[in-house]
Amino acid sequence: MKERMRLIMVDVKEQDTKAILAIFEALGKAWNEHNGQAFGLCFTEDADYVTFNGQHIKGRQDITEIHQKLFDGVLRGSSMMEGGSVQIRFLTPDMAIAHCVGAVKLRWQKKAPKNRDSINTNVIVKEKGDWKIAAFHNCRIQPPNFIQKWFMK
């Protein structure tokens, strides 16, 4: 009986992992289609979204509206690069943390420059059987500068 229960738990975790990965695929697809509505649907109603430069957006509606303005403006024609890494750690059966690495290529670029590489930390929750992002914090990946290197000695 114990063995059967363990196998069921592994299957559930595997299904949840696939569902969480599908969220990030949906985010990338929505970005590449410049669809703010589809992008926002990946988040909980009361989600917190912190941009790479520290802007704090509160709630799905604002996430949706702001991204649509970006897609129609400065990010018009941009694409989210595929192939970034995703690491998922379950905190509870209904909550996980995911770290994702990726970059956005602007419309005039052949490839995303290294200085656009970002890492984001996501708190993902299961609501009514569906996984959604409750908190998203994005940050540019930067090598340590001279002073940071000096302090690390």
Side-chain angles (χ1 to χ4, degrees):
M1 183 69 167
K2 271 188 180 180
E3 184 66 24
R4 186 164 189 267
M5 287 183 70
R6 189 175 66 78
L7 290 175
I8 292 169
M9 287 301 290
V10 169
D11 289 344
V12 168
K13 191 172 181 179
E14 188 176 318
Q15 289 172 347
D16 288 332
T17 298
K18 287 179 181 178
I20 289 169
L21 290 172
I23 291 171
F24 295 108
E25 288 175 19
L27 274 177
K29 183 176 188 279
W31 188 292
N32 293 340
E33 293 175 355
H34 309 106
N35 185 337
Q37 186 69 32
F39 191 86
L41 288 174
C42 297
F43 295 86
T44 61
E45 193 67 41
D46 61 349
D48 288 285
Y49 187 109
V50 178
T51 67
F52 75 93
N53 63 353
Q55 179 186 7
H56 186 185
I57 305 168
K58 303 235 358 126
R60 178 188 296 147
Q61 187 63 38
D62 284 351
I63 293 167
T64 297
E65 290 173 6
I66 288 170
H67 278 83
Q68 191 60 60
K69 286 178 185 175
L70 290 168
F71 295 150
D72 293 341
V74 68
L75 294 177
R76 183 174 47 86
S78 67
S79 58
M80 189 174 289
M81 304 308 295
E82 294 181 21
S85 66
V86 178
Q87 297 175 351
I88 300 169
R89 180 168 56 103
F90 287 89
L91 302 176
T92 71
D94 295 332
M95 185 185 312
I97 292 180
H99 289 96
C100 306
V101 175
V104 170
K105 179 181 76 68
L106 301 175
R107 66 183 173 272
W108 61 84
Q109 298 171 322
K110 291 190 187 297
K111 65 179 189 171
K114 193 74 177 147
N115 68 352
R116 291 192 64 87
D117 285 354
S118 295
I119 184 167
N120 54 69
T121 302
N122 302 268
V123 176
I124 306 161
V125 296
K126 196 174 198 179
E127 291 183 334
K128 300 176 188 168
D130 292 326
W131 288 94
K132 300 283 184 184
I133 301 169
F136 175 101
H137 184 198
N138 197 23
C139 184
R140 288 278 193 253
I141 298 172
Q142 301 175 3
N145 63 32
F146 171 77
I147 294 172
Q148 290 166 325
K149 287 179 184 176
W150 185 72
F151 277 118
M152 292 189 303
K153 287 184 181 185

